[in-house]
Amino acid sequence: MSEFTPRIDRRSFRRLAAPVADALAAIDSAAVAAGLEADLLELVKLRASQMNGCAFCVQYHLNVARAQQVAREKLDLLVAWREVDVYTDRERAALAWTEVLTEVELGVADDDFDEAREVFSENELAHLSAAIGAINAWNRISVGFRFAPELPGPRKLETV
């Protein structure tokens, strides 16, 4: 058996643990209702998924972000977001907070919290933190069960 063979698929997980999937989805809905932009949340989910090595979630959130028409350069350069000037201050603060909470074993410095609070209201930061926790939970579920990425339809690659 290949190490990439799914242990169970996403739909089976959803059927087996519907209350868990619903609870994680409710966190995302609450974050949007609290005023966090959907495209900002997709960047956050994509970055955490990159950090956690979750192929399913990376592809899933790329697909969603593309459907939301998130700028291509933001998606292409997300892994190196600190090195480019294509992200808003709000996106940069959200990405920094995502990295801190995704690597929480390193602790959360007061400076990191203060930087996030400069950009987000207390309510927004609470919801952003919950959304980051939710994507980290999904990453662990997806990696653990080896959910297979849902690739977009076939595309003809152009050669240079």
Side-chain angles (χ1 to χ4, degrees):
M1 177 186 269
S2 166
E3 69 179 79
F4 300 109
T5 302
R7 293 177 172 137
I8 65 172
D9 64 29
R10 179 176 61 102
R11 287 170 187 79
S12 295
F13 178 83
R14 176 91 176 84
R15 188 183 72 253
L16 294 167
V20 172
D22 291 344
L24 292 171
I27 291 170
D28 286 341
S29 296
V32 171
L36 294 169
E37 303 86 343
D39 58 339
L40 178 138
L41 289 170
E42 287 308 315
L43 291 172
V44 162
K45 293 173 197 176
L46 183 54
R47 182 65 190 125
S49 299
Q50 288 172 338
M51 293 174 69
N52 289 320
C54 181
F56 174 85
C57 295
V58 166
Q59 188 62 61
Y60 182 88
H61 292 291
L62 276 171
N63 293 345
V64 172
R66 288 177 182 133
Q68 290 178 348
Q69 298 182 341
V70 173
R72 182 177 178 172
E73 63 272 10
K74 289 183 179 187
L75 300 178
D76 293 344
L77 295 168
L78 187 59
V79 72
W81 67 270
R82 292 179 189 272
E83 307 301 321
V84 294
D85 193 23
V86 299
Y87 301 95
T88 66
D89 289 343
R90 193 165 165 89
E91 290 166 340
R92 295 178 75 74
L95 293 169
W97 191 241
T98 298
E99 290 184 355
V100 167
L101 293 188
T102 299
E103 295 180 339
V104 76
E105 70 274 4
L106 302 176
V108 178
D110 289 341
D111 288 347
D112 294 326
F113 177 77
D114 293 343
E115 287 176 21
R117 271 298 279 130
E118 286 178 18
V119 177
F120 295 101
S121 71
E122 199 169 59
N123 184 50
E124 288 174 329
L125 190 57
H127 284 85
L128 177 61
S129 299
I132 293 165
I135 189 56
N136 276 283
W138 273 122
N139 291 162
R140 282 144 182 82
I141 291 164
S142 298
V143 169
F145 289 111
R146 293 186 188 139
F147 292 174
E150 296 178 5
L151 301 174
R155 296 180 185 187
K156 184 177 179 179
L157 297 177
E158 295 180 22
T159 57
V160 179

